[in-house]
Amino acid sequence: MPRVKDEDLEKLARAITTPQVRTQRPALVATVGLPGSGKSHFAHLLAQRLPLVVLESDALRSILFRKPLHSYKENRRLFRALHALAERLLAEGHTVLLDATNLREEHRLDLKHIADRLSCPLILVELTAPEGLLIQRLKGRESRPAQAGVEVYVRMRAEAEPILLEHRCVDSSRDITSAIEEIAGEIERL
């Protein structure tokens, strides 16, 4: 794993809430999807259902950067710290949900390597929705600078790569309750 700045890791660690519950067999859950696809909504609902640590990239980005740009350099620094924090939490016995776009296969493989090192399952969940709905959602949050807007969406859409690893697809334009229950059940059976 590339070197992470210790101060970045500690800033993010102080910004999250960790549940008291630990497990013998934690899981790493990671969302995949464009901005506005429903990743944070999914994460919120799964966190209501299970004790897990949610690492919400948009919220944690604002901890490290006062005026987030969503640039390559900024993303690299943020995700080094997020991946290191996820690995630490998994080693402590916490199930972790990384709420981020994870649009490139190399980033998903980084998560697979973390899960493999710790012998825990990686559950990738691709969130999708029709483009018109994505744009509508993004326009509704333009006043929040840490979150990606339409401009970032357009750039990221061009960079998205097909998912080669095993994953689940969830259409967030529909009711996702059954998907939440299915994934929660899988984690509970570990």
Side-chain angles (χ1 to χ4, degrees):
M1 180 184 297
R3 178 89 172 107
V4 62
K5 293 182 177 184
D6 290 335
E7 61 269 17
D8 287 354
L9 179 58
E10 295 313 316
K11 277 182 186 178
L12 297 185
R14 285 191 302 272
I16 62 167
T17 304
T18 55
Q20 295 296 323
V21 178
R22 296 174 191 230
T23 181
Q24 292 290 103
R25 185 103 162 106
L28 175 56
V29 182
T31 58
V32 178
L34 290 163
S37 63
K39 298 177 304 294
S40 295
H41 179 66
F42 171 86
H44 175 75
L45 292 178
L46 191 60
Q48 287 181 332
R49 177 68 174 72
L50 292 172
L52 51 81
V53 180
V54 176
L55 300 179
E56 184 183 348
S57 63
D58 283 337
L60 294 172
R61 180 183 303 274
S62 66
I63 300 296
L64 296 184
F65 308 101
R66 288 180 196 219
K67 294 184 179 182
L69 302 172
H70 296 267
S71 67
Y72 174 79
K73 184 176 178 180
E74 179 183 291
N75 286 337
R76 190 175 66 214
R77 180 176 161 196
L78 172 67
F79 284 97
R80 281 182 180 162
L82 283 175
H83 290 175
L85 182 56
E87 190 159 357
R88 176 196 288 179
L89 292 164
L90 288 162
E92 292 172 355
H94 296 286
T95 290
V96 174
L97 190 157
L98 178 58
D99 171 11
T101 58
N102 295 304
L103 294 173
R104 298 188 53 153
E105 192 68 7
E106 69 180 286
H107 301 149
R108 297 185 290 264
L109 286 172
D110 288 343
L111 298 174
K112 183 175 180 341
H113 296 315
I114 291 169
D116 289 348
R117 273 195 300 278
L118 296 171
S119 299
C120 70
L122 171 63
I123 301 170
L124 290 175
V125 182
E126 180 183 28
L127 280 295
T128 64
E131 185 172 52
L133 180 57
L134 293 177
I135 300 292
Q136 181 183 352
R137 288 174 178 170
L138 293 171
K139 286 183 176 178
R141 66 184 196 188
E142 287 178 338
S143 63
R144 295 178 275 178
Q147 293 195 341
V150 175
E151 181 180 309
V152 173
Y153 162 79
V154 170
R155 185 182 77 225
M156 290 181 135
R157 181 182 61 195
E159 298 170 1
E161 297 175 354
I163 304 171
L164 303 178
L165 296 169
E166 181 183 333
H167 66 284
R168 291 143 184 84
C169 294
V170 177
D171 181 347
S172 70
S173 68
R174 297 189 166 102
D175 182 4
I176 65 171
T177 305
S178 63
I180 295 291
E181 286 304 314
E182 180 182 317
I183 293 165
E186 179 180 341
I187 292 168
E188 288 172 331
R189 288 188 295 275
L190 292 175

